[in-house]
Amino acid sequence: MMDSRENRGANRRKLARINTQMRVDIFRHRLIGGWRFVTRAKAMDYNRYGVGLTSPVSLSRGTRLKLDLYAPGMILRQVSAEVVSCHRAGQAYRIGLRTYSSLRELAGDARQHQIRYLAGMEEQLFPQG
């Protein structure tokens, strides 16, 4: 029998993924110097819980990151994420990032949170025609 954590993970994978081609700048926190740029990656798809991307560098599971997402017409800065998977894919790495697990976690104490912008971004990413 799966516990609730495994069940939530399985449900996340069942959600439809929205394909995209978006530049992503990845930052990791350092003990000295705070948040530092790690690499530039490409977002391949996303759903309500996170982002799948390809990166030239490997990232360890559980690593906390900040992302700058470059979408058409806007840039989302300092989006919090956690690495949930990392697998070699040819010359690069396919990395799964969780941006949140609940709306409460997403909203936190911030006055503005990223989900409002991500939800409104779909029309710009996928123009009809």
Side-chain angles (χ1 to χ4, degrees):
M1 182 171 191
M2 288 197 302
D3 70 15
S4 62
R5 174 180 241 164
E6 290 173 346
N7 193 28
R8 284 193 311 265
N11 288 338
R12 279 185 218 141
R13 287 187 294 276
K14 290 178 188 175
L15 290 174
R17 293 181 179 153
I18 300 168
N19 293 326
T20 188
Q21 295 285 315
M22 198 176 354
R23 180 179 128 194
V24 179
D25 288 344
I26 300 175
F27 300 84
R28 183 172 31 200
H29 194 268
R30 307 283 179 159
L31 290 176
I32 299 174
W35 291 98
R36 295 288 188 184
F37 177 79
V38 175
T39 191
R40 179 163 291 158
K42 185 187 330 181
M44 304 303 289
D45 55 54
Y46 68 94
N47 66 21
R48 69 182 274 198
Y49 290 104
V51 179
L53 54 84
T54 57
S55 167
V57 299
S58 174
L59 295 168
S60 300
R61 186 176 182 184
T63 302
R64 299 225 180 243
L65 306 169
K66 295 282 186 181
L67 311 174
D68 285 353
L69 302 170
Y70 292 80
M74 72 174 76
I75 302 170
L76 302 174
R77 298 206 183 272
Q78 300 298 301
V79 176
S80 297
E82 179 181 351
V83 177
V84 293
S85 66
C86 182
H87 305 283
R88 189 133 180 97
Q91 298 292 324
Y93 294 89
R94 173 73 175 170
I95 298 174
L97 301 176
R98 183 188 69 149
T99 52
Y100 72 99
S101 61
S102 70
L103 291 175
R104 175 174 286 171
E105 178 184 339
L106 175 69
D109 294 330
R111 292 182 185 168
Q112 290 186 323
H113 49 84
Q114 297 88 6
I115 194 66
R116 292 179 187 154
Y117 299 105
L118 287 174
M121 194 168 62
E122 291 181 58
E123 288 181 12
Q124 292 180 359
L125 291 173
F126 306 105
Q128 300 298 319

